[in-house]
Amino acid sequence: MQTKENIMTYNDVVSIGDSYLLTEVTELFGLEGYEIQLIPPHDGGRNVVYTCEKEGTDAKIIRIAFLPDRNREDFLAEVEYIRYLFEHGGSVSDVVSSWKGNLLEEISHQNHTFFICLFNKAKGKLLVENNYRYREGVPLSEYFYNCGKTLGKLHHISKEYTPVHRRNSFFDKYNAEYMNKLIPDSFSLVKKKLVELLNTLEGLDTNRESFGMNHFDYNDGNYSIDFDTGQITVYDFDNSCFAWYMFDLAGLWISGVGWVQFEPDVAKRKKFMDDILK
């Protein structure tokens, strides 16, 4: 059991990675000869991530998970879903099996279990890496269209998905008990209102057409764009869960606001957002 005293920090894992883990991972996944480099962490990140590059082969991504908020079943459910999406034509970074044939490997060290996954690196780069400029000479509307098309395909595939290892559902986390822990008693009105909203959600239809596996964090920080073709490849399914497909669409809407939030003309802002939704 983990206590505050023995919970690993990001820097702890990087240090153990250098001295022990990366050697084990290299052997497990046959990464001899690859140049392995740490990817700097971002706010809210929960993993230690490395790029693996070798001339003449496709680049890979190593993900080392170390926090106690997920267990073996959570990871198995995640990688099973990603593999299902890939095999059914979803534009996602596929999971790479270890030489043992496993999509998930576990390494125990210093009384701690590390969960290791290897992914094919998505082609292209993040929008932020391109200074939020889209493809030269191509209208931004293509980007929004491709965002929706890529997400729609994932949702379409998910409608037929029957998991072996089941991911959690929206209500497993977002419930009255969670709100009670999250919000201080001094904000009793906020707490009461959120519980009312959750009760309303519980009354909504959860048929296969409207409710299924969501990415649950679909935004331009979690997919790469091939700036030659506009193709989008999705990754970071850490938060994926069963929810209403509309949730992912709402996330796209929220991130879309960033393109126009400083436009002073309300009518122009509204038209822009209407065009995104369309």
Side-chain angles (χ1 to χ4, degrees):
M1 183 177 176
Q2 292 195 42
T3 64
K4 284 185 178 178
E5 288 73 30
N6 68 9
I7 286 179
M8 289 276 176
T9 67
Y10 180 92
N11 289 335
D12 290 336
V13 181
V14 171
S15 177
I16 294 168
D18 290 341
S19 63
Y20 179 78
L21 290 176
L22 288 180
T23 302
E24 293 288 305
V25 171
T26 296
E27 191 174 317
L28 276 169
F29 290 94
L31 296 173
E32 293 83 2
Y34 280 81
E35 183 184 350
I36 299 175
Q37 290 192 320
L38 182 68
I39 297 176
H42 62 274
D43 288 342
R46 299 187 296 176
N47 308 299
V48 176
V49 183
Y50 300 84
T51 58
C52 313
E53 296 187 352
K54 181 181 178 182
E55 195 170 338
T57 62
D58 293 333
K60 307 285 191 295
I61 297 287
I62 298 169
R63 186 185 76 184
I64 301 176
F66 63 93
L67 294 175
D69 58 344
R70 292 163 289 174
N71 58 36
R72 184 172 183 272
E73 284 296 308
D74 292 329
F75 290 110
L76 285 173
E78 178 195 350
V79 294
E80 175 195 307
Y81 176 54
I82 294 169
R83 174 56 61 85
Y84 182 88
L85 290 172
F86 181 81
E87 288 180 342
H88 289 80
S91 188
V92 300
S93 292
D94 192 21
V95 197
V96 179
S97 300
S98 69
W99 68 265
K100 296 178 181 178
N102 299 325
L103 299 180
L104 175 72
E105 288 289 351
E106 299 170 47
I107 298 175
S108 293
H109 185 66
Q110 296 181 357
N111 297 318
H112 194 92
T113 300
F114 300 92
F115 293 97
I116 319 293
C117 295
L118 186 70
F119 302 90
N120 284 321
K121 189 174 188 293
K123 191 172 182 183
K125 55 187 177 180
L126 295 165
L127 262 175
V128 67
E129 293 171 336
N130 206 46
N131 299 312
Y132 278 98
R133 291 195 305 269
Y134 192 53
R135 304 202 300 138
E136 196 69 38
V138 179
L140 200 55
S141 57
E142 179 194 84
Y143 165 61
F144 297 127
Y145 177 81
N146 286 346
C147 266
K149 184 179 179 182
T150 302
L151 181 61
K153 178 76 171 176
L154 299 187
H155 287 170
H156 178 72
I157 296 167
S158 297
K159 288 176 184 179
E160 300 301 321
Y161 178 57
T162 305
V164 175
H165 301 277
R166 186 178 175 83
R167 286 288 280 187
N168 61 305
S169 184
F170 177 87
F171 292 111
D172 292 336
K173 178 174 181 180
Y174 300 101
N175 50 46
E177 184 184 357
Y178 178 67
M179 293 304 163
N180 200 41
K181 287 180 183 175
L182 191 67
I183 302 167
D185 289 338
S186 54
F187 291 92
S188 58
L189 192 59
V190 174
K191 193 182 296 192
K192 179 172 177 284
K193 185 64 180 174
L194 282 170
V195 171
E196 286 174 3
L197 289 169
L198 285 171
N199 289 337
T200 301
L201 286 177
E202 284 185 337
L204 297 180
D205 202 341
T206 55
N207 65 59
R208 279 200 170 209
E209 286 301 306
S210 60
F211 191 94
M213 279 292 285
N214 276 233
H215 183 282
F216 218 69
D217 195 16
Y218 188 81
N219 62 66
D220 62 48
N222 287 333
Y223 50 71
S224 288
I225 302 168
D226 182 342
F227 284 90
D228 291 330
T229 64
Q231 172 78 24
I232 288 172
T233 305
V234 189
Y235 39 81
D236 282 0
F237 284 81
D238 294 50
N239 296 312
S240 58
C241 68
F242 283 88
W244 291 274
Y245 294 124
M246 186 58 73
F247 184 95
D248 277 344
L249 288 174
L252 265 186
W253 171 271
I254 291 166
S255 58
V257 170
W259 292 94
V260 76
Q261 62 182 326
F262 299 115
E263 167 57 58
D265 188 322
V266 174
K268 286 182 181 177
R269 287 205 306 273
K270 184 177 186 306
K271 183 180 184 311
F272 189 90
M273 295 308 295
D274 285 345
D275 289 343
I276 287 180
L277 190 59
K278 184 180 176 183

